[in-house]
mmCIF file with all atom_site columns, all heavy atoms in Angstrom:
data_model
loop_
_atom_site.group_PDB
_atom_site.id
_atom_site.type_symbol
_atom_site.label_atom_id
_atom_site.label_alt_id
_atom_site.label_comp_id
_atom_site.label_asym_id
_atom_site.label_entity_id
_atom_site.label_seq_id
_atom_site.pdbx_PDB_ins_code
_atom_site.Cartn_x
_atom_site.Cartn_y
_atom_site.Cartn_z
_atom_site.occupancy
_atom_site.B_iso_or_equiv
_atom_site.pdbx_formal_charge
_atom_site.auth_seq_id
_atom_site.auth_comp_id
_atom_site.auth_asym_id
_atom_site.auth_atom_id
_atom_site.pdbx_PDB_model_num
ATOM 1   N N   . VAL A 1 1  ? -168.904 94.040  -104.559 1.00 84.00 ? 24 VAL A N   1
ATOM 2   C CA  . VAL A 1 1  ? -168.663 94.326  -105.975 1.00 84.00 ? 24 VAL A CA  1
ATOM 3   C C   . VAL A 1 1  ? -167.872 95.601  -106.143 1.00 84.00 ? 24 VAL A C   1
ATOM 4   O O   . VAL A 1 1  ? -166.966 95.694  -107.018 1.00 84.00 ? 24 VAL A O   1
ATOM 5   C CB  . VAL A 1 1  ? -170.009 94.428  -106.739 1.00 84.00 ? 24 VAL A CB  1
ATOM 6   C CG1 . VAL A 1 1  ? -169.844 94.980  -108.113 1.00 84.00 ? 24 VAL A CG1 1
ATOM 7   C CG2 . VAL A 1 1  ? -170.649 93.032  -106.786 1.00 84.00 ? 24 VAL A CG2 1
ATOM 8   N N   . ASN A 1 2  ? -168.111 96.603  -105.293 1.00 83.00 ? 25 ASN A N   1
ATOM 9   C CA  . ASN A 1 2  ? -167.351 97.858  -105.394 1.00 83.00 ? 25 ASN A CA  1
ATOM 10  C C   . ASN A 1 2  ? -165.890 97.718  -104.968 1.00 83.00 ? 25 ASN A C   1
ATOM 11  O O   . ASN A 1 2  ? -165.085 98.574  -105.236 1.00 83.00 ? 25 ASN A O   1
ATOM 12  C CB  . ASN A 1 2  ? -168.060 98.947  -104.560 1.00 83.00 ? 25 ASN A CB  1
ATOM 13  C CG  . ASN A 1 2  ? -169.355 99.392  -105.179 1.00 83.00 ? 25 ASN A CG  1
ATOM 14  O OD1 . ASN A 1 2  ? -169.601 99.225  -106.340 1.00 83.00 ? 25 ASN A OD1 1
ATOM 15  N ND2 . ASN A 1 2  ? -170.238 99.927  -104.309 1.00 83.00 ? 25 ASN A ND2 1
ATOM 16  N N   . SER A 1 3  ? -165.581 96.592  -104.294 1.00 83.00 ? 26 SER A N   1
ATOM 17  C CA  . SER A 1 3  ? -164.184 96.381  -103.909 1.00 83.00 ? 26 SER A CA  1
ATOM 18  C C   . SER A 1 3  ? -163.347 95.827  -105.067 1.00 83.00 ? 26 SER A C   1
ATOM 19  O O   . SER A 1 3  ? -162.104 95.809  -104.950 1.00 83.00 ? 26 SER A O   1
ATOM 20  C CB  . SER A 1 3  ? -164.117 95.437  -102.715 1.00 83.00 ? 26 SER A CB  1
ATOM 21  O OG  . SER A 1 3  ? -164.543 94.144  -103.094 1.00 83.00 ? 26 SER A OG  1
ATOM 22  N N   . CYS A 1 4  ? -163.973 95.379  -106.153 1.00 79.00 ? 27 CYS A N   1
ATOM 23  C CA  . CYS A 1 4  ? -163.221 94.858  -107.301 1.00 79.00 ? 27 CYS A CA  1
ATOM 24  C C   . CYS A 1 4  ? -162.237 95.885  -107.886 1.00 79.00 ? 27 CYS A C   1
ATOM 25  O O   . CYS A 1 4  ? -161.085 95.537  -108.101 1.00 79.00 ? 27 CYS A O   1
ATOM 26  C CB  . CYS A 1 4  ? -164.168 94.343  -108.346 1.00 79.00 ? 27 CYS A CB  1
ATOM 27  S SG  . CYS A 1 4  ? -165.051 92.866  -107.885 1.00 79.00 ? 27 CYS A SG  1
ATOM 28  N N   . PRO A 1 5  ? -162.641 97.121  -108.164 1.00 80.00 ? 28 PRO A N   1
ATOM 29  C CA  . PRO A 1 5  ? -161.696 98.068  -108.689 1.00 80.00 ? 28 PRO A CA  1
ATOM 30  C C   . PRO A 1 5  ? -160.574 98.371  -107.687 1.00 80.00 ? 28 PRO A C   1
ATOM 31  O O   . PRO A 1 5  ? -159.411 98.625  -108.081 1.00 80.00 ? 28 PRO A O   1
ATOM 32  C CB  . PRO A 1 5  ? -162.496 99.323  -108.986 1.00 80.00 ? 28 PRO A CB  1
ATOM 33  C CG  . PRO A 1 5  ? -163.883 98.834  -109.200 1.00 80.00 ? 28 PRO A CG  1
ATOM 34  C CD  . PRO A 1 5  ? -164.017 97.636  -108.270 1.00 80.00 ? 28 PRO A CD  1
ATOM 35  N N   . SER A 1 6  ? -160.876 98.362  -106.389 1.00 82.00 ? 29 SER A N   1
ATOM 36  C CA  . SER A 1 6  ? -159.869 98.597  -105.375 1.00 82.00 ? 29 SER A CA  1
ATOM 37  C C   . SER A 1 6  ? -158.824 97.479  -105.354 1.00 82.00 ? 29 SER A C   1
ATOM 38  O O   . SER A 1 6  ? -157.648 97.738  -105.246 1.00 82.00 ? 29 SER A O   1
ATOM 39  C CB  . SER A 1 6  ? -160.513 98.712  -103.994 1.00 82.00 ? 29 SER A CB  1
ATOM 40  O OG  . SER A 1 6  ? -161.384 99.803  -103.976 1.00 82.00 ? 29 SER A OG  1
ATOM 41  N N   . PHE A 1 7  ? -159.295 96.249  -105.538 1.00 83.00 ? 30 PHE A N   1
ATOM 42  C CA  . PHE A 1 7  ? -158.368 95.125  -105.621 1.00 83.00 ? 30 PHE A CA  1
ATOM 43  C C   . PHE A 1 7  ? -157.455 95.246  -106.853 1.00 83.00 ? 30 PHE A C   1
ATOM 44  O O   . PHE A 1 7  ? -156.273 95.004  -106.785 1.00 83.00 ? 30 PHE A O   1
ATOM 45  C CB  . PHE A 1 7  ? -159.115 93.788  -105.653 1.00 83.00 ? 30 PHE A CB  1
ATOM 46  C CG  . PHE A 1 7  ? -158.239 92.599  -105.842 1.00 83.00 ? 30 PHE A CG  1
ATOM 47  C CD1 . PHE A 1 7  ? -157.407 92.172  -104.837 1.00 83.00 ? 30 PHE A CD1 1
ATOM 48  C CD2 . PHE A 1 7  ? -158.189 91.952  -107.048 1.00 83.00 ? 30 PHE A CD2 1
ATOM 49  C CE1 . PHE A 1 7  ? -156.580 91.097  -105.045 1.00 83.00 ? 30 PHE A CE1 1
ATOM 50  C CE2 . PHE A 1 7  ? -157.365 90.879  -107.270 1.00 83.00 ? 30 PHE A CE2 1
ATOM 51  C CZ  . PHE A 1 7  ? -156.558 90.432  -106.241 1.00 83.00 ? 30 PHE A CZ  1
ATOM 52  N N   . HIS A 1 8  ? -158.056 95.653  -107.957 1.00 80.00 ? 31 HIS A N   1
ATOM 53  C CA  . HIS A 1 8  ? -157.295 95.839  -109.174 1.00 80.00 ? 31 HIS A CA  1
ATOM 54  C C   . HIS A 1 8  ? -156.223 96.931  -108.982 1.00 80.00 ? 31 HIS A C   1
ATOM 55  O O   . HIS A 1 8  ? -155.107 96.816  -109.439 1.00 80.00 ? 31 HIS A O   1
ATOM 56  C CB  . HIS A 1 8  ? -158.215 96.198  -110.347 1.00 80.00 ? 31 HIS A CB  1
ATOM 57  C CG  . HIS A 1 8  ? -157.469 96.463  -111.624 1.00 80.00 ? 31 HIS A CG  1
ATOM 58  N ND1 . HIS A 1 8  ? -156.844 95.479  -112.334 1.00 80.00 ? 31 HIS A ND1 1
ATOM 59  C CD2 . HIS A 1 8  ? -157.285 97.594  -112.287 1.00 80.00 ? 31 HIS A CD2 1
ATOM 60  C CE1 . HIS A 1 8  ? -156.287 95.989  -113.407 1.00 80.00 ? 31 HIS A CE1 1
ATOM 61  N NE2 . HIS A 1 8  ? -156.538 97.276  -113.412 1.00 80.00 ? 31 HIS A NE2 1
ATOM 62  N N   . SER A 1 9  ? -156.602 97.985  -108.291 1.00 82.00 ? 32 SER A N   1
ATOM 63  C CA  . SER A 1 9  ? -155.679 99.074  -108.043 1.00 82.00 ? 32 SER A CA  1
ATOM 64  C C   . SER A 1 9  ? -154.522 98.669  -107.126 1.00 82.00 ? 32 SER A C   1
ATOM 65  O O   . SER A 1 9  ? -153.420 99.178  -107.224 1.00 82.00 ? 32 SER A O   1
ATOM 66  C CB  . SER A 1 9  ? -156.395 100.280 -107.436 1.00 82.00 ? 32 SER A CB  1
ATOM 67  O OG  . SER A 1 9  ? -157.333 100.809 -108.352 1.00 82.00 ? 32 SER A OG  1
ATOM 68  N N   . LEU A 1 10 ? -154.782 97.686  -106.253 1.00 87.00 ? 33 LEU A N   1
ATOM 69  C CA  . LEU A 1 10 ? -153.798 97.226  -105.331 1.00 87.00 ? 33 LEU A CA  1
ATOM 70  C C   . LEU A 1 10 ? -152.552 96.659  -106.035 1.00 87.00 ? 33 LEU A C   1
ATOM 71  O O   . LEU A 1 10 ? -151.400 96.929  -105.666 1.00 87.00 ? 33 LEU A O   1
ATOM 72  C CB  . LEU A 1 10 ? -154.401 96.153  -104.398 1.00 87.00 ? 33 LEU A CB  1
ATOM 73  C CG  . LEU A 1 10 ? -153.483 95.584  -103.327 1.00 87.00 ? 33 LEU A CG  1
ATOM 74  C CD1 . LEU A 1 10 ? -153.186 96.646  -102.289 1.00 87.00 ? 33 LEU A CD1 1
ATOM 75  C CD2 . LEU A 1 10 ? -154.144 94.391  -102.687 1.00 87.00 ? 33 LEU A CD2 1
ATOM 76  N N   . TRP A 1 11 ? -152.757 95.913  -107.122 1.00 85.00 ? 34 TRP A N   1
ATOM 77  C CA  . TRP A 1 11 ? -151.627 95.434  -107.859 1.00 85.00 ? 34 TRP A CA  1
ATOM 78  C C   . TRP A 1 11 ? -151.304 96.285  -109.075 1.00 85.00 ? 34 TRP A C   1
ATOM 79  O O   . TRP A 1 11 ? -150.144 96.321  -109.547 1.00 85.00 ? 34 TRP A O   1
ATOM 80  C CB  . TRP A 1 11 ? -151.838 93.973  -108.324 1.00 85.00 ? 34 TRP A CB  1
ATOM 81  C CG  . TRP A 1 11 ? -152.847 93.818  -109.397 1.00 85.00 ? 34 TRP A CG  1
ATOM 82  C CD1 . TRP A 1 11 ? -154.193 93.623  -109.228 1.00 85.00 ? 34 TRP A CD1 1
ATOM 83  C CD2 . TRP A 1 11 ? -152.617 93.874  -110.817 1.00 85.00 ? 34 TRP A CD2 1
ATOM 84  N NE1 . TRP A 1 11 ? -154.819 93.530  -110.453 1.00 85.00 ? 34 TRP A NE1 1
ATOM 85  C CE2 . TRP A 1 11 ? -153.885 93.702  -111.449 1.00 85.00 ? 34 TRP A CE2 1
ATOM 86  C CE3 . TRP A 1 11 ? -151.522 94.077  -111.593 1.00 85.00 ? 34 TRP A CE3 1
ATOM 87  C CZ2 . TRP A 1 11 ? -154.015 93.706  -112.796 1.00 85.00 ? 34 TRP A CZ2 1
ATOM 88  C CZ3 . TRP A 1 11 ? -151.651 94.079  -112.956 1.00 85.00 ? 34 TRP A CZ3 1
ATOM 89  C CH2 . TRP A 1 11 ? -152.875 93.875  -113.585 1.00 85.00 ? 34 TRP A CH2 1
ATOM 90  N N   . GLY A 1 12 ? -152.262 97.016  -109.590 1.00 85.00 ? 35 GLY A N   1
ATOM 91  C CA  . GLY A 1 12 ? -152.047 97.812  -110.813 1.00 85.00 ? 35 GLY A CA  1
ATOM 92  C C   . GLY A 1 12 ? -151.261 99.082  -110.617 1.00 85.00 ? 35 GLY A C   1
ATOM 93  O O   . GLY A 1 12 ? -150.438 99.442  -111.483 1.00 85.00 ? 35 GLY A O   1
ATOM 94  N N   . ILE A 1 13 ? -151.482 99.759  -109.520 1.00 89.00 ? 36 ILE A N   1
ATOM 95  C CA  . ILE A 1 13 ? -150.792 101.054 -109.296 1.00 89.00 ? 36 ILE A CA  1
ATOM 96  C C   . ILE A 1 13 ? -149.271 100.850 -109.113 1.00 89.00 ? 36 ILE A C   1
ATOM 97  O O   . ILE A 1 13 ? -148.509 101.583 -109.747 1.00 89.00 ? 36 ILE A O   1
ATOM 98  C CB  . ILE A 1 13 ? -151.413 101.804 -108.119 1.00 89.00 ? 36 ILE A CB  1
ATOM 99  C CG1 . ILE A 1 13 ? -152.786 102.316 -108.530 1.00 89.00 ? 36 ILE A CG1 1
ATOM 100 C CG2 . ILE A 1 13 ? -150.540 102.937 -107.649 1.00 89.00 ? 36 ILE A CG2 1
ATOM 101 C CD1 . ILE A 1 13 ? -153.576 102.982 -107.459 1.00 89.00 ? 36 ILE A CD1 1
ATOM 102 N N   . PRO A 1 14 ? -148.788 99.881  -108.347 1.00 92.00 ? 37 PRO A N   1
ATOM 103 C CA  . PRO A 1 14 ? -147.313 99.685  -108.285 1.00 92.00 ? 37 PRO A CA  1
ATOM 104 C C   . PRO A 1 14 ? -146.734 99.325  -109.640 1.00 92.00 ? 37 PRO A C   1
ATOM 105 O O   . PRO A 1 14 ? -145.633 99.792  -110.012 1.00 92.00 ? 37 PRO A O   1
ATOM 106 C CB  . PRO A 1 14 ? -147.131 98.565  -107.277 1.00 92.00 ? 37 PRO A CB  1
ATOM 107 C CG  . PRO A 1 14 ? -148.328 98.611  -106.411 1.00 92.00 ? 37 PRO A CG  1
ATOM 108 C CD  . PRO A 1 14 ? -149.450 99.074  -107.338 1.00 92.00 ? 37 PRO A CD  1
ATOM 109 N N   . PHE A 1 15 ? -147.442 98.506  -110.402 1.00 90.00 ? 38 PHE A N   1
ATOM 110 C CA  . PHE A 1 15 ? -146.987 98.134  -111.744 1.00 90.00 ? 38 PHE A CA  1
ATOM 111 C C   . PHE A 1 15 ? -146.902 99.351  -112.639 1.00 90.00 ? 38 PHE A C   1
ATOM 112 O O   . PHE A 1 15 ? -145.894 99.571  -113.357 1.00 90.00 ? 38 PHE A O   1
ATOM 113 C CB  . PHE A 1 15 ? -147.916 97.081  -112.355 1.00 90.00 ? 38 PHE A CB  1
ATOM 114 C CG  . PHE A 1 15 ? -147.565 96.711  -113.742 1.00 90.00 ? 38 PHE A CG  1
ATOM 115 C CD1 . PHE A 1 15 ? -146.471 95.886  -113.987 1.00 90.00 ? 38 PHE A CD1 1
ATOM 116 C CD2 . PHE A 1 15 ? -148.293 97.151  -114.821 1.00 90.00 ? 38 PHE A CD2 1
ATOM 117 C CE1 . PHE A 1 15 ? -146.107 95.545  -115.266 1.00 90.00 ? 38 PHE A CE1 1
ATOM 118 C CE2 . PHE A 1 15 ? -147.978 96.798  -116.107 1.00 90.00 ? 38 PHE A CE2 1
ATOM 119 C CZ  . PHE A 1 15 ? -146.888 95.978  -116.350 1.00 90.00 ? 38 PHE A CZ  1
ATOM 120 N N   . GLN A 1 16 ? -147.933 100.215 -112.648 1.00 89.00 ? 39 GLN A N   1
ATOM 121 C CA  . GLN A 1 16 ? -147.927 101.435 -113.440 1.00 89.00 ? 39 GLN A CA  1
ATOM 122 C C   . GLN A 1 16 ? -146.819 102.366 -113.027 1.00 89.00 ? 39 GLN A C   1
ATOM 123 O O   . GLN A 1 16 ? -146.170 102.998 -113.891 1.00 89.00 ? 39 GLN A O   1
ATOM 124 C CB  . GLN A 1 16 ? -149.303 102.140 -113.318 1.00 89.00 ? 39 GLN A CB  1
ATOM 125 C CG  . GLN A 1 16 ? -150.413 101.412 -114.003 1.00 89.00 ? 39 GLN A CG  1
ATOM 126 C CD  . GLN A 1 16 ? -151.758 102.065 -113.740 1.00 89.00 ? 39 GLN A CD  1
ATOM 127 O OE1 . GLN A 1 16 ? -151.841 103.062 -113.090 1.00 89.00 ? 39 GLN A OE1 1
ATOM 128 N NE2 . GLN A 1 16 ? -152.795 101.463 -114.305 1.00 89.00 ? 39 GLN A NE2 1
ATOM 129 N N   . LEU A 1 17 ? -146.596 102.507 -111.708 1.00 92.00 ? 40 LEU A N   1
ATOM 130 C CA  . LEU A 1 17 ? -145.543 103.390 -111.250 1.00 92.00 ? 40 LEU A CA  1
ATOM 131 C C   . LEU A 1 17 ? -144.169 102.903 -111.697 1.00 92.00 ? 40 LEU A C   1
ATOM 132 O O   . LEU A 1 17 ? -143.345 103.704 -112.174 1.00 92.00 ? 40 LEU A O   1
ATOM 133 C CB  . LEU A 1 17 ? -145.570 103.498 -109.711 1.00 92.00 ? 40 LEU A CB  1
ATOM 134 C CG  . LEU A 1 17 ? -144.565 104.360 -109.050 1.00 92.00 ? 40 LEU A CG  1
ATOM 135 C CD1 . LEU A 1 17 ? -144.810 105.811 -109.446 1.00 92.00 ? 40 LEU A CD1 1
ATOM 136 C CD2 . LEU A 1 17 ? -144.631 104.223 -107.525 1.00 92.00 ? 40 LEU A CD2 1
ATOM 137 N N   . PHE A 1 18 ? -143.907 101.608 -111.545 1.00 93.00 ? 41 PHE A N   1
ATOM 138 C CA  . PHE A 1 18 ? -142.641 101.049 -112.005 1.00 93.00 ? 41 PHE A CA  1
ATOM 139 C C   . PHE A 1 18 ? -142.446 101.241 -113.502 1.00 93.00 ? 41 PHE A C   1
ATOM 140 O O   . PHE A 1 18 ? -141.366 101.685 -113.970 1.00 93.00 ? 41 PHE A O   1
ATOM 141 C CB  . PHE A 1 18 ? -142.538 99.549  -111.653 1.00 93.00 ? 41 PHE A CB  1
ATOM 142 C CG  . PHE A 1 18 ? -141.315 98.889  -112.198 1.00 93.00 ? 41 PHE A CG  1
ATOM 143 C CD1 . PHE A 1 18 ? -140.083 99.081  -111.649 1.00 93.00 ? 41 PHE A CD1 1
ATOM 144 C CD2 . PHE A 1 18 ? -141.420 98.079  -113.320 1.00 93.00 ? 41 PHE A CD2 1
ATOM 145 C CE1 . PHE A 1 18 ? -138.940 98.492  -112.132 1.00 93.00 ? 41 PHE A CE1 1
ATOM 146 C CE2 . PHE A 1 18 ? -140.295 97.469  -113.846 1.00 93.00 ? 41 PHE A CE2 1
ATOM 147 C CZ  . PHE A 1 18 ? -139.059 97.681  -113.288 1.00 93.00 ? 41 PHE A CZ  1
ATOM 148 N N   . PHE A 1 19 ? -143.484 100.957 -114.276 1.00 93.00 ? 42 PHE A N   1
ATOM 149 C CA  . PHE A 1 19 ? -143.391 101.086 -115.726 1.00 93.00 ? 42 PHE A CA  1
ATOM 150 C C   . PHE A 1 19 ? -143.204 102.556 -116.158 1.00 93.00 ? 42 PHE A C   1
ATOM 151 O O   . PHE A 1 19 ? -142.419 102.824 -117.062 1.00 93.00 ? 42 PHE A O   1
ATOM 152 C CB  . PHE A 1 19 ? -144.687 100.509 -116.371 1.00 93.00 ? 42 PHE A CB  1
ATOM 153 C CG  . PHE A 1 19 ? -144.583 100.319 -117.842 1.00 93.00 ? 42 PHE A CG  1
ATOM 154 C CD1 . PHE A 1 19 ? -143.755 99.350  -118.376 1.00 93.00 ? 42 PHE A CD1 1
ATOM 155 C CD2 . PHE A 1 19 ? -145.309 101.102 -118.690 1.00 93.00 ? 42 PHE A CD2 1
ATOM 156 C CE1 . PHE A 1 19 ? -143.651 99.135  -119.744 1.00 93.00 ? 42 PHE A CE1 1
ATOM 157 C CE2 . PHE A 1 19 ? -145.192 100.951 -120.073 1.00 93.00 ? 42 PHE A CE2 1
ATOM 158 C CZ  . PHE A 1 19 ? -144.389 99.988  -120.592 1.00 93.00 ? 42 PHE A CZ  1
ATOM 159 N N   . THR A 1 20 ? -143.876 103.473 -115.475 1.00 91.00 ? 43 THR A N   1
ATOM 160 C CA  . THR A 1 20 ? -143.751 104.890 -115.760 1.00 91.00 ? 43 THR A CA  1
ATOM 161 C C   . THR A 1 20 ? -142.310 105.383 -115.479 1.00 91.00 ? 43 THR A C   1
ATOM 162 O O   . THR A 1 20 ? -141.722 106.101 -116.275 1.00 91.00 ? 43 THR A O   1
ATOM 163 C CB  . THR A 1 20 ? -144.731 105.705 -114.953 1.00 91.00 ? 43 THR A CB  1
ATOM 164 O OG1 . THR A 1 20 ? -146.048 105.242 -115.242 1.00 91.00 ? 43 THR A OG1 1
ATOM 165 C CG2 . THR A 1 20 ? -144.620 107.190 -115.247 1.00 91.00 ? 43 THR A CG2 1
ATOM 166 N N   . LEU A 1 21 ? -141.763 104.961 -114.335 1.00 92.00 ? 44 LEU A N   1
ATOM 167 C CA  . LEU A 1 21 ? -140.412 105.353 -113.992 1.00 92.00 ? 44 LEU A CA  1
ATOM 168 C C   . LEU A 1 21 ? -139.398 104.774 -114.969 1.00 92.00 ? 44 LEU A C   1
ATOM 169 O O   . LEU A 1 21 ? -138.393 105.420 -115.328 1.00 92.00 ? 44 LEU A O   1
ATOM 170 C CB  . LEU A 1 21 ? -140.087 104.996 -112.564 1.00 92.00 ? 44 LEU A CB  1
ATOM 171 C CG  . LEU A 1 21 ? -140.839 105.748 -111.483 1.00 92.00 ? 44 LEU A CG  1
ATOM 172 C CD1 . LEU A 1 21 ? -140.514 105.209 -110.093 1.00 92.00 ? 44 LEU A CD1 1
ATOM 173 C CD2 . LEU A 1 21 ? -140.550 107.245 -111.569 1.00 92.00 ? 44 LEU A CD2 1
ATOM 174 N N   . TYR A 1 22 ? -139.630 103.557 -115.411 1.00 94.00 ? 45 TYR A N   1
ATOM 175 C CA  . TYR A 1 22 ? -138.747 102.940 -116.371 1.00 94.00 ? 45 TYR A CA  1
ATOM 176 C C   . TYR A 1 22 ? -138.764 103.690 -117.695 1.00 94.00 ? 45 TYR A C   1
ATOM 177 O O   . TYR A 1 22 ? -137.700 103.981 -118.296 1.00 94.00 ? 45 TYR A O   1
ATOM 178 C CB  . TYR A 1 22 ? -139.139 101.447 -116.604 1.00 94.00 ? 45 TYR A CB  1
ATOM 179 C CG  . TYR A 1 22 ? -138.403 100.820 -117.726 1.00 94.00 ? 45 TYR A CG  1
ATOM 180 C CD1 . TYR A 1 22 ? -137.034 100.439 -117.549 1.00 94.00 ? 45 TYR A CD1 1
ATOM 181 C CD2 . TYR A 1 22 ? -139.000 100.578 -118.957 1.00 94.00 ? 45 TYR A CD2 1
ATOM 182 C CE1 . TYR A 1 22 ? -136.347 99.847  -118.598 1.00 94.00 ? 45 TYR A CE1 1
ATOM 183 C CE2 . TYR A 1 22 ? -138.314 99.981  -119.977 1.00 94.00 ? 45 TYR A CE2 1
ATOM 184 C CZ  . TYR A 1 22 ? -136.992 99.611  -119.794 1.00 94.00 ? 45 TYR A CZ  1
ATOM 185 O OH  . TYR A 1 22 ? -136.280 99.024  -120.831 1.00 94.00 ? 45 TYR A OH  1
ATOM 186 N N   . LEU A 1 23 ? -139.948 104.056 -118.186 1.00 93.00 ? 46 LEU A N   1
ATOM 187 C CA  . LEU A 1 23 ? -140.033 104.826 -119.437 1.00 93.00 ? 46 LEU A CA  1
ATOM 188 C C   . LEU A 1 23 ? -139.419 106.194 -119.270 1.00 93.00 ? 46 LEU A C   1
ATOM 189 O O   . LEU A 1 23 ? -138.780 106.699 -120.203 1.00 93.00 ? 46 LEU A O   1
ATOM 190 C CB  . LEU A 1 23 ? -141.507 104.943 -119.875 1.00 93.00 ? 46 LEU A CB  1
ATOM 191 C CG  . LEU A 1 23 ? -142.145 103.643 -120.347 1.00 93.00 ? 46 LEU A CG  1
ATOM 192 C CD1 . LEU A 1 23 ? -143.624 103.874 -120.662 1.00 93.00 ? 46 LEU A CD1 1
ATOM 193 C CD2 . LEU A 1 23 ? -141.451 103.094 -121.595 1.00 93.00 ? 46 LEU A CD2 1
ATOM 194 N N   . LEU A 1 24 ? -139.603 106.813 -118.126 1.00 93.00 ? 47 LEU A N   1
ATOM 195 C CA  . LEU A 1 24 ? -138.998 108.106 -117.877 1.00 93.00 ? 47 LEU A CA  1
ATOM 196 C C   . LEU A 1 24 ? -137.486 108.006 -117.852 1.00 93.00 ? 47 LEU A C   1
ATOM 197 O O   . LEU A 1 24 ? -136.797 108.878 -118.389 1.00 93.00 ? 47 LEU A O   1
ATOM 198 C CB  . LEU A 1 24 ? -139.528 108.680 -116.549 1.00 93.00 ? 47 LEU A CB  1
ATOM 199 C CG  . LEU A 1 24 ? -139.217 110.151 -116.257 1.00 93.00 ? 47 LEU A CG  1
ATOM 200 C CD1 . LEU A 1 24 ? -139.755 111.049 -117.355 1.00 93.00 ? 47 LEU A CD1 1
ATOM 201 C CD2 . LEU A 1 24 ? -139.801 110.501 -114.892 1.00 93.00 ? 47 LEU A CD2 1
ATOM 202 N N   . TYR A 1 25 ? -136.952 106.957 -117.270 1.00 93.00 ? 48 TYR A N   1
ATOM 203 C CA  . TYR A 1 25 ? -135.520 106.710 -117.281 1.00 93.00 ? 48 TYR A CA  1
ATOM 204 C C   . TYR A 1 25 ? -134.987 106.587 -118.683 1.00 93.00 ? 48 TYR A C   1
ATOM 205 O O   . TYR A 1 25 ? -133.921 107.078 -119.006 1.00 93.00 ? 48 TYR A O   1
ATOM 206 C CB  . TYR A 1 25 ? -135.181 105.477 -116.438 1.00 93.00 ? 48 TYR A CB  1
ATOM 207 C CG  . TYR A 1 25 ? -133.741 105.062 -116.552 1.00 93.00 ? 48 TYR A CG  1
ATOM 208 C CD1 . TYR A 1 25 ? -132.746 105.773 -115.893 1.00 93.00 ? 48 TYR A CD1 1
ATOM 209 C CD2 . TYR A 1 25 ? -133.360 103.969 -117.298 1.00 93.00 ? 48 TYR A CD2 1
ATOM 210 C CE1 . TYR A 1 25 ? -131.400 105.414 -115.999 1.00 93.00 ? 48 TYR A CE1 1
ATOM 211 C CE2 . TYR A 1 25 ? -132.045 103.589 -117.415 1.00 93.00 ? 48 TYR A CE2 1
ATOM 212 C CZ  . TYR A 1 25 ? -131.073 104.323 -116.783 1.00 93.00 ? 48 TYR A CZ  1
ATOM 213 O OH  . TYR A 1 25 ? -129.740 103.947 -116.883 1.00 93.00 ? 48 TYR A OH  1
#
């Protein structure tokens, strides 16, 4: 059960990074 947030972070962090860099651009 504790691995659920880690799995979410696996796909969520790259998405957030890309979106943040796009907004910064």
Side-chain angles (χ1 to χ4, degrees):
V24 169
N25 291 337
S26 68
C27 290
S29 298
F30 175 73
H31 177 70
S32 296
L33 183 68
W34 71 269
I36 289 175
F38 177 75
Q39 289 174 1
L40 181 65
F41 174 75
F42 192 70
T43 302
L44 291 176
Y45 173 74
L46 291 175
L47 190 59
Y48 172 74

